[in-house]
Amino acid sequence: MRDLANQVGMEAASLYNHIRSKQQILNDICFSLANTYTEKMNKVYPGDLSPIDKIKSLVSLHIQVHAMSSPIAAVMNDEWRYLTEPNKTEFVAMRDVYDQRFIDIIQKGIDEGDIKKLNPRIAYFTLLSSIRWLQHWFHANSEFDVDDIKRTITEMILTGIVVIK
Amino acid sequence: MRDLANQVGMEAASLYNHIRSKQQILNDICFSLANTYTEKMNKVYPGDLSPIDKIKSLVSLHIQVHAMSSPIAAVMNDEWRYLTEPNKTEFVAMRDVYDQRFIDIIQKGIDEGDIKKLNPRIAYFTLLSSIRWLQHWFHANSEFDVDDIKRTITEMILTGIVVIK
DNA sequence: CCTACCGATCGGTAGG
DNA sequence: CCTACCGATCGGTAGG
């Protein structure tokens, strides 16, 4: 809190005229992002897109979030476990629903013959995880271009790195 | 340190008959793993394998490390930034060499026409990152089987999730 | 928004 | 390996 206060040019004690507690900041960060993801899933999941296109659309949001606000994404990804109850339980419940729907989409793709017969949970974690490095490496002055990243990551998830001959 | 002492059944102060400092533990963890990775790279990099087979071999080690000692992998991945000097500089230097050689292998695969024309740095980070979820999800009583994970992740990295028709 | 301060906790040492 | 303890730091409050 001293570091934070210093960044905005005041004493730590003065921060408490603007926020309730350190926990409240964590809470706000985690749920604002969780809501963004959940809203997107609520739109995409029941829609008419093919499973592959649904995955493309969700992956695109994940990359966008990491690129536009990577510190926020990093805090949610790494610090959600320090949420206090009952917020932690609520957060985990939201995440579980999101995970399950994403896995359902993968399973549907498998059933329709468009996605390989992989373990859908392993495929899901591998897919999502492949985006996470952005939270450490992507920042405003990054050497990387968002569209280049979006193209490359999406291509790798869909068809890998190997040239098929 | 109190938690750690409690786990091994002694007082925090007694720990210091066995270790020099908390920093020393972090140091030992980071460099023991960094050495494992560096030794493997020193063997694989100059070898006769094709770039694709070199990548397979390195990916296999990464998965093995995460599966066999995921807390160690998690500590190195997430806490190396709290290393003190001169250790931090040395660690980063080792990692930079490792990264560069891995990227060289990808570049060679591109030059030889076996790997798609992707940005090799983006491809490298995406590839490595896709393994990281194991540090949070894989543990002794995990629902997942190591060989199943190795097969699925390797396949996804190489040829993605889509069925080519 | 600041000064002054609190109780808890941290990594670690002295001395046995 | 323990008791006793230290100085630093943490999130946060009282009172203005």
Side-chain angles (χ1 to χ4, degrees), chain B:
Chain B
M1 299 307 282
R2 265 96 175 163
D3 289 347
L4 213 161
N6 197 42
Q7 285 281 332
V8 293
M10 54 174 80
E11 293 300 315
S14 309
L15 241 28
Y16 290 84
N17 289 294
H18 303 277
I19 56 146
R20 210 177 311 157
S21 65
K22 195 188 171 199
Q23 270 295 324
Q24 188 62 46
I25 301 176
L26 178 60
N27 215 57
D28 289 350
I29 289 174
C30 289
F31 281 96
S32 82
L33 240 188
N35 284 331
T36 301
Y37 283 130
T38 296
E39 280 166 27
K40 175 79 167 187
M41 182 58 88
N42 286 345
K43 260 184 229 159
V44 169
Y45 185 68
D48 290 333
L49 293 176
S50 70
I52 297 277
D53 284 337
K54 286 181 180 175
I55 290 170
K56 276 189 195 171
S57 171
L58 292 165
V59 164
S60 175
L61 175 66
H62 279 265
I63 295 173
Q64 202 72 43
V65 164
H66 278 78
M68 290 202 328
S69 44
S70 68
I72 300 283
V75 168
M76 188 190 78
N77 284 331
D78 295 342
E79 312 291 332
W80 67 267
R81 58 192 120 240
Y82 304 110
L83 249 18
T84 48
E85 295 298 356
N87 301 310
K88 188 175 176 180
T89 299
E90 192 192 340
F91 179 85
V92 171
M94 282 180 79
R95 202 196 52 187
D96 285 349
V97 169
Y98 187 86
D99 289 351
Q100 195 49 58
R101 289 187 172 186
F102 208 126
I103 291 167
D104 278 357
I105 293 170
I106 295 173
Q107 185 61 57
K108 190 145 185 245
I110 295 172
D111 294 343
E112 295 177 358
D114 293 327
I115 294 178
K116 293 176 187 170
K117 288 194 177 73
L118 305 164
N119 178 322
R121 271 181 80 79
I122 296 181
Y124 170 64
F125 287 127
T126 304
L127 181 163
L128 263 209
S129 188
S130 70
I131 297 164
R132 287 262 197 124
W133 63 274
L134 293 176
Q135 92 186 210
H136 298 113
W137 291 95
F138 192 89
H139 42 89
N141 307 323
S142 171
E143 59 178 304
F144 302 112
D145 172 73
V146 189
D147 288 330
D148 196 10
I149 287 171
K150 219 176 242 187
R151 223 178 306 115
T152 307
I153 294 181
T154 307
E155 173 149 8
M156 282 180 68
I157 288 171
L158 296 180
T159 60
I161 61 170
V162 167
V163 173
I164 308 285
K165 295 175 187 174

Side-chain angles (χ1 to χ4, degrees), chain A residues 26-38 72-99 132, chain B residues 137:
Chain A
L26 177 61
N27 216 57
D28 289 350
I29 289 174
C30 289
F31 281 96
S32 82
L33 240 188
N35 285 332
T36 301
Y37 284 130
T38 297
I72 300 283
V75 168
M76 188 189 77
N77 284 331
D78 296 341
E79 313 292 332
W80 67 266
R81 58 193 117 242
Y82 305 111
L83 248 18
T84 49
E85 295 296 355
N87 301 311
K88 189 175 176 180
T89 299
E90 192 193 337
F91 179 85
V92 170
M94 281 181 79
R95 201 195 53 188
D96 285 349
V97 169
Y98 187 87
D99 289 351
R132 286 261 198 124
Chain B
W137 291 95

Side-chain angles (χ1 to χ4, degrees), chain A residues 85-132:
Chain A
E85 295 296 355
N87 301 311
K88 189 175 176 180
T89 299
E90 192 193 337
F91 179 85
V92 170
M94 281 181 79
R95 201 195 53 188
D96 285 349
V97 169
Y98 187 87
D99 289 351
Q100 195 49 57
R101 290 189 169 185
F102 208 126
I103 291 167
D104 278 357
I105 292 170
I106 295 174
Q107 185 61 57
K108 191 146 186 243
I110 295 173
D111 294 342
E112 295 178 358
D114 292 327
I115 294 179
K116 293 176 186 170
K117 289 194 178 69
L118 304 165
N119 178 322
R121 270 181 80 79
I122 297 181
Y124 170 64
F125 288 128
T126 304
L127 181 163
L128 263 208
S129 188
S130 70
I131 297 164
R132 286 261 198 124

